[in-house]
Amino acid sequence: MSRFRMFTLVLATALIVPAVHAQVSFLSAADVAAGDGTITLETSAIVAADFDGDNDVDLVVANRNTGELVVLINDGSGNFTRSTPINVGTRPVSIIAADLDGDDTLDLAVALLGDDQVAVLIGAGDGTFANAVLYDVVGNSPMHLTTGDIDGDNVLDLITSNEQDDTVSILLNVGDGTFDDAINEDVAIGATRSEPNGTAVGDLDGNGYSDIAVALAIRDQVGILLQNADGTFAEMSTVDVGRDPTRVLAADLDGDNNLDLIVANTTDDTVTVLLGDGTGAFAAGVTYNTGNNPSALALADLDGDGNNDLITPNREGDNVSVLLGNGDGTFDAVTNFNVGGGPVDVVAADLNGDDDLDLATANQEGSLTDQDDVSVLLAGVPDDTLADDLAAELIDCGAGGCGPAGLAPMLLSLLGLVGMKQSRRWIGIR
């Protein structure tokens, strides 16, 4: 072998050892007041979308203490103006934004813990909403609300998890944003309580019908309700997860076209990943650490590699956790970012129009003094830390990784990484 070919082989080997990833980092959290400073709101839920049709992502938050929703209108740069509060009912705890009436504008639905109801607000497309229409869930204490097409008519239905009577309520959409009486599914197991705290909807067994996964808080399990072809559900099966699961998400995490589940376990500060086999069965859970008391879940591609990353708001940690996804159903170790007091919900969206995903949290323990009802974390890396971060990552690649520290300057020169930005994400090597 010629010395030139040998050098080429050695150089190629050196270049492919470290994987190139976009760094995920956020500027310090900015406080956003959802109230007027006269009462503590106990902000309990948040959604992000363009509600007023100006192509900027706005926020809507539910305020548990006041029984109101507040629309936060974005000026396009990540600054928000508070709308007049909208009364919905007693103790709103969960909110979704979706086109419920088929007019291509976003509507809102809210779970009312104190009223055992769901409030539906039809949107006008200009940031305003019609008065709430209330629907009984029949169950007691709806803790969480989600949406999905349960009956296959191509319109979105509503699903609540009712903690106090161990039921899941299904409200079928008539097609115009109004809903039939609730149908309840029992998720207790014999005489044993379950305390359902969160649900996810998707075709878990590949038969073309929407199924339901439900977090059973008191059992440390997730219940699986597979839908039969006649619209009924088979007897619930269960999968073990961590302690006190309160939220669950369904998504294809490993690229096999089967839905998997992610579960937030609040008491042991973890998430559990359950990989599905496409038949409604799941492999034993793999657990990842988060911050203290993860209270919700969000999936988004934060680093631009095409894989879903995981975000949890951590109520007792006053921070959010980010776990970068590898595309095979596994996640990297957690990184935490500080926010306001008691974050219980989180959304990922481009809030300032720079094509990078930002985060916003609903902070249940936001104070009147700080006005941190909502925290906004804009994607970004302080310039004075970037050079040190790049150098440290290039040199400290771990055993059998990048080789001697002297390789770092050569790689920097060859790859041209100094000062490089890509889509406003700093590129590093790890």
mmCIF file of all heavy atoms in Angstrom, residues 27 44 48-49 64 73 80 87 114 123 136 160 242 263 300 313 340-341 361 367 390 395:
data_model
loop_
_atom_site.group_PDB
_atom_site.id
_atom_site.type_symbol
_atom_site.label_atom_id
_atom_site.label_comp_id
_atom_site.label_asym_id
_atom_site.label_seq_id
_atom_site.Cartn_x
_atom_site.Cartn_y
_atom_site.Cartn_z
ATOM 1 N N LEU A 27 -30.636 30.105 25.850
ATOM 2 C CA LEU A 27 -30.336 31.289 26.624
ATOM 3 C C LEU A 27 -31.113 31.239 27.939
ATOM 4 O O LEU A 27 -32.038 30.445 28.098
ATOM 5 C CB LEU A 27 -30.699 32.539 25.830
ATOM 6 C CG LEU A 27 -30.049 32.670 24.445
ATOM 7 C CD1 LEU A 27 -30.520 33.946 23.771
ATOM 8 C CD2 LEU A 27 -28.535 32.630 24.551
ATOM 9 N N SER A 44 -51.197 25.861 34.688
ATOM 10 C CA SER A 44 -51.212 24.403 34.752
ATOM 11 C C SER A 44 -50.995 23.709 33.418
ATOM 12 O O SER A 44 -50.747 22.502 33.387
ATOM 13 C CB SER A 44 -52.553 23.926 35.341
ATOM 14 O OG SER A 44 -53.637 24.481 34.622
ATOM 15 N N ALA A 48 -48.891 25.645 22.044
ATOM 16 C CA ALA A 48 -48.262 26.609 21.146
ATOM 17 C C ALA A 48 -48.765 26.394 19.727
ATOM 18 O O ALA A 48 -48.795 25.252 19.235
ATOM 19 C CB ALA A 48 -46.743 26.466 21.193
ATOM 20 N N ALA A 49 -49.155 27.468 19.049
ATOM 21 C CA ALA A 49 -49.606 27.414 17.656
ATOM 22 C C ALA A 49 -49.840 28.841 17.187
ATOM 23 O O ALA A 49 -49.859 29.785 17.991
ATOM 24 C CB ALA A 49 -50.876 26.578 17.508
ATOM 25 N N ARG A 64 -54.999 27.419 36.638
ATOM 26 C CA ARG A 64 -55.780 26.556 37.524
ATOM 27 C C ARG A 64 -56.500 27.333 38.616
ATOM 28 O O ARG A 64 -57.649 27.035 38.966
ATOM 29 C CB ARG A 64 -54.834 25.508 38.123
ATOM 30 C CG ARG A 64 -55.450 24.583 39.134
ATOM 31 C CD ARG A 64 -54.454 23.492 39.494
ATOM 32 N NE ARG A 64 -54.880 22.707 40.639
ATOM 33 C CZ ARG A 64 -54.590 21.434 40.819
ATOM 34 N NH1 ARG A 64 -53.885 20.803 39.899
ATOM 35 N NH2 ARG A 64 -54.994 20.795 41.881
ATOM 36 N N ILE A 73 -50.064 36.570 22.670
ATOM 37 C CA ILE A 73 -49.844 36.831 21.245
ATOM 38 C C ILE A 73 -48.380 37.205 21.016
ATOM 39 O O ILE A 73 -47.843 38.118 21.648
ATOM 40 C CB ILE A 73 -50.765 37.955 20.742
ATOM 41 C CG1 ILE A 73 -52.229 37.536 20.889
ATOM 42 C CG2 ILE A 73 -50.445 38.300 19.291
ATOM 43 C CD1 ILE A 73 -52.608 36.316 20.064
ATOM 44 N N PHE A 80 -44.328 38.545 24.014
ATOM 45 C CA PHE A 80 -45.729 38.185 24.044
ATOM 46 C C PHE A 80 -46.581 39.257 24.723
ATOM 47 O O PHE A 80 -46.159 39.864 25.699
ATOM 48 C CB PHE A 80 -45.918 36.849 24.774
ATOM 49 C CG PHE A 80 -45.254 35.701 24.067
ATOM 50 C CD1 PHE A 80 -43.918 35.390 24.329
ATOM 51 C CD2 PHE A 80 -45.952 34.954 23.139
ATOM 52 C CE1 PHE A 80 -43.305 34.343 23.666
ATOM 53 C CE2 PHE A 80 -45.345 33.906 22.477
ATOM 54 C CZ PHE A 80 -44.011 33.604 22.748
ATOM 55 N N ASN A 87 -62.845 32.970 30.623
ATOM 56 C CA ASN A 87 -63.358 32.066 31.653
ATOM 57 C C ASN A 87 -63.771 30.733 31.032
ATOM 58 O O ASN A 87 -64.486 30.708 30.019
ATOM 59 C CB ASN A 87 -64.564 32.700 32.363
ATOM 60 C CG ASN A 87 -64.176 33.887 33.219
ATOM 61 O OD1 ASN A 87 -63.180 33.843 33.931
ATOM 62 N ND2 ASN A 87 -64.946 34.955 33.139
ATOM 63 N N GLY A 114 -62.143 20.502 38.417
ATOM 64 C CA GLY A 114 -63.114 20.800 39.464
ATOM 65 C C GLY A 114 -64.558 20.634 39.055
ATOM 66 O O GLY A 114 -65.444 20.560 39.913
ATOM 67 N N GLY A 123 -62.335 28.381 17.686
ATOM 68 C CA GLY A 123 -61.515 29.528 17.339
ATOM 69 C C GLY A 123 -61.984 30.240 16.091
ATOM 70 O O GLY A 123 -62.505 29.625 15.146
ATOM 71 N N ASP A 136 -70.000 17.045 29.948
ATOM 72 C CA ASP A 136 -69.703 16.191 31.092
ATOM 73 C C ASP A 136 -68.869 14.998 30.641
ATOM 74 O O ASP A 136 -69.141 14.384 29.604
ATOM 75 C CB ASP A 136 -70.993 15.673 31.739
ATOM 76 C CG ASP A 136 -71.812 16.783 32.373
ATOM 77 O OD1 ASP A 136 -71.220 17.793 32.798
ATOM 78 O OD2 ASP A 136 -73.057 16.640 32.419
ATOM 79 N N THR A 160 -60.359 11.760 28.022
ATOM 80 C CA THR A 160 -59.873 12.209 29.322
ATOM 81 C C THR A 160 -59.531 11.014 30.192
ATOM 82 O O THR A 160 -60.136 9.937 30.070
ATOM 83 C CB THR A 160 -60.911 13.066 30.070
ATOM 84 O OG1 THR A 160 -62.039 12.261 30.412
ATOM 85 C CG2 THR A 160 -61.347 14.257 29.242
ATOM 86 N N GLY A 242 -42.100 3.003 35.777
ATOM 87 C CA GLY A 242 -41.548 3.506 37.025
ATOM 88 C C GLY A 242 -42.622 3.897 38.022
ATOM 89 O O GLY A 242 -43.819 3.650 37.812
ATOM 90 N N VAL A 263 -43.129 7.196 29.006
ATOM 91 C CA VAL A 263 -43.916 7.423 30.213
ATOM 92 C C VAL A 263 -43.104 8.268 31.188
ATOM 93 O O VAL A 263 -41.918 8.008 31.409
ATOM 94 C CB VAL A 263 -44.289 6.078 30.877
ATOM 95 C CG1 VAL A 263 -45.222 6.309 32.048
ATOM 96 C CG2 VAL A 263 -44.910 5.125 29.859
ATOM 97 N N ALA A 300 -39.659 16.507 20.244
ATOM 98 C CA ALA A 300 -39.350 17.435 19.162
ATOM 99 C C ALA A 300 -37.909 17.202 18.745
ATOM 100 O O ALA A 300 -37.082 16.752 19.550
ATOM 101 C CB ALA A 300 -39.533 18.884 19.618
ATOM 102 N N PRO A 313 -40.796 18.808 31.751
ATOM 103 C CA PRO A 313 -40.736 19.860 32.770
ATOM 104 C C PRO A 313 -40.721 19.201 34.144
ATOM 105 O O PRO A 313 -41.493 18.264 34.389
ATOM 106 C CB PRO A 313 -42.043 20.632 32.537
ATOM 107 C CG PRO A 313 -42.992 19.582 32.044
ATOM 108 C CD PRO A 313 -42.178 18.552 31.299
ATOM 109 N N GLY A 340 -38.800 28.816 35.513
ATOM 110 C CA GLY A 340 -39.456 29.404 36.674
ATOM 111 C C GLY A 340 -39.907 28.356 37.677
ATOM 112 O O GLY A 340 -39.538 27.176 37.610
ATOM 113 N N GLY A 341 -40.757 28.767 38.607
ATOM 114 C CA GLY A 341 -41.130 27.920 39.727
ATOM 115 C C GLY A 341 -42.184 26.887 39.389
ATOM 116 O O GLY A 341 -43.278 27.202 38.941
ATOM 117 N N THR A 361 -42.582 26.907 29.104
ATOM 118 C CA THR A 361 -43.151 26.094 30.170
ATOM 119 C C THR A 361 -44.271 26.836 30.886
ATOM 120 O O THR A 361 -44.261 28.068 30.985
ATOM 121 C CB THR A 361 -42.078 25.717 31.222
ATOM 122 O OG1 THR A 361 -41.557 26.912 31.828
ATOM 123 C CG2 THR A 361 -40.939 24.937 30.594
ATOM 124 N N SER A 367 -44.541 33.125 40.742
ATOM 125 C CA SER A 367 -44.837 34.071 41.823
ATOM 126 C C SER A 367 -45.315 35.409 41.274
ATOM 127 O O SER A 367 -45.041 35.778 40.135
ATOM 128 C CB SER A 367 -43.590 34.291 42.681
ATOM 129 O OG SER A 367 -42.607 35.008 41.957
ATOM 130 N N LEU A 390 -16.304 23.719 22.370
ATOM 131 C CA LEU A 390 -15.830 22.974 21.215
ATOM 132 C C LEU A 390 -14.504 22.284 21.504
ATOM 133 O O LEU A 390 -14.308 21.112 21.195
ATOM 134 C CB LEU A 390 -15.675 23.906 20.015
ATOM 135 C CG LEU A 390 -16.952 24.266 19.253
ATOM 136 C CD1 LEU A 390 -16.635 25.315 18.193
ATOM 137 C CD2 LEU A 390 -17.550 23.036 18.615
ATOM 138 N N ILE A 395 -11.371 17.299 22.500
ATOM 139 C CA ILE A 395 -10.279 16.647 23.206
ATOM 140 C C ILE A 395 -10.777 15.510 24.074
ATOM 141 O O ILE A 395 -10.196 14.436 24.119
ATOM 142 C CB ILE A 395 -9.529 17.692 24.064
ATOM 143 C CG1 ILE A 395 -8.859 18.720 23.142
ATOM 144 C CG2 ILE A 395 -8.498 17.014 24.949
ATOM 145 C CD1 ILE A 395 -8.304 19.917 23.867
#
